[in-house]
Amino acid sequence: MRRTPAELVGAEPGPAHHIEFDGRAVPALPGQSIAAALWADGVLAWRTTRVGGRPRGVFCGIGACFDCLATVNGRPNQRTCLLPAEPGTTVTTQEGHGRADLAV
Amino acid sequence: MPTSPSDASTYDLAVIGAGPAGLAAAVTAADLGLRCALLDAGRQTGGQYYRHPASGLGAARPDRLHHGWSVYTGLADRLAAHREAGRVDFLGGHQVWALERTGDGYAVHVTLGPEAADRATVPAAAVLLATGAYERQLPFPGWTLPGVVTAGGAQAMLKAGLVLPGRRIVVAGSGPLLLAAASSLVTAGAEVPSVVEATDYLGYARRPGVLAAVPGKLVEGAGHGSALLRHRVRLRRRSAVVEAHGTDRVNAVTVARLDADWRPVPGTERRIDCDALAVGHGLLPQIELATELGAATSTGPDGAVALQVDARLRTTVPGLWSAGETNGVGGADLAIAEGELAAHAVADLAPRPALLRRRARLRAFAELMAAAHRPGPGWTGWLRPDTDVCRCEEVPVARIREAVEELGAGDPRTVKLLTRAGMGWCQGRMCGPAVACLAGSGEPGPDRRPFACPVPLSQLAAAED
Ligand code: FES
């Protein structure tokens, strides 16, 4: 059995809460970003690109690349690697430019 | 340095970036009697290098993910004492998007929080730039697949969120960050089948004197090396990942040997199964706040553009100092030495000669390291016409080549205008070096972006008031 990052640093996190990802409950630990909670759940992609419709998730992990965009609590184009996962945060896969509401 | 009498709330010094250089600069300047603001886009101090788990994660041993963690805690303790005494204000969640010279000082314009929901202006008599660096990326087929992440990004997600992108992670690219990333990934439980490094490390051996002068660097390297040996990680030198495979996420990579110019050698390809790839080709100084003010730059031995500073770390813009990676990438120890030196200079005091010598030794090593990992021109040999170069705007190699060969674009700026490469969200941070190379201009010019980070239009409109 290999060890986990949490075991390595002797983490004793506060109780997990949940965020909602595309209608499904995903556990999150206090202090984790939305992107980290999704990775911990094995989810690597939560956006499709505007031109090719291809899946994307975290690339840079520090707010520089904008690949990790998603619709968070109804607001599109949010960088999930920077946003903390708060109890009850809802995240939806973002398609295209994230402005479907503006389409004619 | 006198505080402007007209505005009692003006700081003597605004330090931008709370990583190693900025932390060292702020606490040293406060020791010397200056009243400082320490600004960072993140909520915590430490920057990317000392990125650590949020307190809610209850990490008892954050040092296990770090080299030299006690150096950070020492700086953090000094900062806490200065904050208590009112000598330093730490302004976390403050992303600086522009520096403006006012009559006798600076207005530091910031947006607040990750959503940039509000903005503020911090007045200061002098500014010290310690904004660090971001990673250099070279595209390859499949690099936009989920599971392909930057080497620094894998580290950042691990250090801050205690998560990994997969179980079997190939680490590839060039530069010392790869060994650090691989060693933290394996220690945290990932399997790393291979570290794929494009250079052969012979560059280091050419200057044994420079190496011997920085024994700490050798110890650090040996530490990573022994972690990799213990976990049976294979180091492939003079090789690169030339393709990532998968549909919805990466499931394997192809690695090929490179010749001395980084051209893939046909027939040497090997496939390695993995569920993630951490990739990066060193770091690029993040200097746009200074170049927007016209600060002079110079190109380092790795082809990266850094700020030009004098012996006292003054940029060519009056009242603007720079410390650490912004002067050329060289690691945390150098950044700390430069932060201290710059603080002395801002306070108009002479530094200890030992500090000057330490900085000189570490700078010499940084130059050696930069030269050793400079990307060779042959890397474009692994591109295919449909490989996306610009991730944001999805601009493939073929369109950039067309702009260069058929439409006559000879520089990155023209390529950008013709193809939209570099015009998306990240403003060319990810594709800049590749576009410059494909445009044939060799080196990217100094970073010039109208704003150093995204600013909501509402904020700009408000700025007009
Ligand atoms: S992963 Fe790059 S901005 Fe979030």
Side-chain angles (χ1 to χ4, degrees), chain A residues 57-68 79-82:
Chain A
V58 160
F59 183 59
C60 76
I62 62 166
C65 76
F66 293 73
D67 258 327
C68 68
R79 280 174 285 175
T80 53
C81 70
L82 296 183

Side-chain angles (χ1 to χ4, degrees), chain A residues 2-5 8-14 30 32 36 44 49-52 54-56 59-60 62 64 66-67 69 75 78, chain B residues 48 56-58 60-61 64 115 144 146 148-150 153 161 163 165 187-190 249 388 391-394 425-426 454:
Chain A
R2 298 184 79 96
R3 84 168 137 194
T4 66
L8 174 66
V9 298
E12 288 188 20
Q32 276 181 330
L44 285 183
T49 60
R50 291 170 292 179
V51 180
R54 280 179 297 225
R56 295 276 177 90
F59 183 59
C60 76
I62 62 166
F66 293 73
D67 258 327
L69 300 178
R75 296 184 55 189
Q78 301 300 304
Chain B
Q48 300 307 335
L57 285 163
R61 298 293 308 272
R64 291 206 175 129
E115 296 176 68
T144 56
V148 178
V149 301
T150 70
V163 288
T187 335
R249 61 177 294 171
D388 274 336
R391 300 172 67 93
C392 300
E393 296 292 315
E394 296 167 84
W425 283 299
C426 89

Side-chain angles (χ1 to χ4, degrees), chain B residues 7-352:
Chain B
D7 184 356
S9 67
T10 295
Y11 293 97
D12 297 323
L13 177 65
V15 177
I16 305 176
L23 269 175
V27 298
T28 307
D31 289 347
L32 300 173
L34 301 187
R35 205 172 148 261
C36 303
L38 175 61
L39 298 94
D40 198 281
R43 297 246 155 243
Q44 313 193 93
T45 61
Q48 300 307 335
Y49 187 79
Y50 292 125
R51 194 180 253 263
H52 51 283
S55 60
L57 285 163
R61 298 293 308 272
D63 55 299
R64 291 206 175 129
L65 277 170
H66 285 274
H67 181 84
W69 182 243
S70 62
V71 175
Y72 169 70
T73 52
L75 290 169
D77 289 348
R78 285 168 68 194
L79 178 69
H82 282 307
R83 287 176 74 182
E84 191 116 327
R87 288 185 290 262
V88 179
D89 287 331
F90 171 61
L91 306 174
H94 281 53
Q95 167 97 57
V96 179
W97 59 272
L99 289 176
E100 184 190 351
R101 289 187 67 190
T102 53
D104 52 357
Y106 282 89
V108 180
H109 297 291
V110 299
T111 60
L112 303 175
E115 296 176 68
D118 214 342
R119 81 189 163 90
T121 298
V122 177
V127 168
L128 197 158
L129 202 66
T131 43
Y134 58 96
E135 269 181 287
R136 166 159 47 201
Q137 295 298 333
L138 300 177
F140 50 90
W143 77 306
T144 56
L145 278 172
V148 178
V149 301
T150 70
Q155 288 251 62
M157 294 284 287
L158 170 58
K159 288 175 176 175
L162 304 180
V163 288
L164 298 169
R167 288 167 186 282
R168 200 173 141 83
I169 310 171
V170 171
V171 176
S174 191
L177 179 61
L178 296 188
L179 297 180
S183 100
S184 47
L185 292 173
V186 286
T187 335
E191 187 191 343
V192 174
S194 198
V195 173
V196 186
E197 161 64 59
T199 71
D200 51 15
Y201 292 107
L202 287 179
Y204 289 92
R206 279 187 206 118
R207 304 282 310 279
V210 174
L211 267 185
V214 287
K217 290 285 171 196
L218 294 180
V219 172
E220 185 178 346
H224 296 319
S226 73
L228 299 181
L229 273 179
R230 222 176 23 251
H231 290 91
R232 296 203 190 80
V233 174
R234 162 142 196 216
L235 174 65
R236 285 169 204 265
R237 289 171 297 158
R238 224 182 235 205
S239 302
V241 165
V242 295
E243 181 167 8
H245 308 277
T247 44
D248 289 339
R249 61 177 294 171
V250 60
N251 55 34
V253 294
T254 295
V255 172
R257 293 265 300 164
L258 301 181
D259 69 14
D261 284 336
W262 287 36
R263 227 171 319 235
V265 179
T268 62
E269 298 86 357
R270 266 169 197 284
R271 202 176 157 107
I272 305 176
D273 289 335
C274 60
D275 56 6
L277 168 67
V279 64
H281 283 93
L283 301 174
L284 297 173
Q286 183 157 322
I287 57 174
E288 65 261 24
L289 287 169
T291 52
E292 278 306 309
L293 291 174
T297 58
S298 59
T299 303
D302 55 347
V305 179
L307 291 178
Q308 193 182 303
V309 289
D310 67 11
R312 311 227 51 198
L313 304 184
R314 238 183 314 238
T315 70
T316 56
V317 177
L320 181 64
W321 276 261
S322 163
E325 314 291 47
T326 40
N327 300 339
V329 170
D333 296 343
L334 175 58
I336 289 169
E338 291 201 345
E340 289 179 19
L341 276 175
H344 279 90
V346 176
D348 212 9
L349 294 168
R352 284 175 291 122

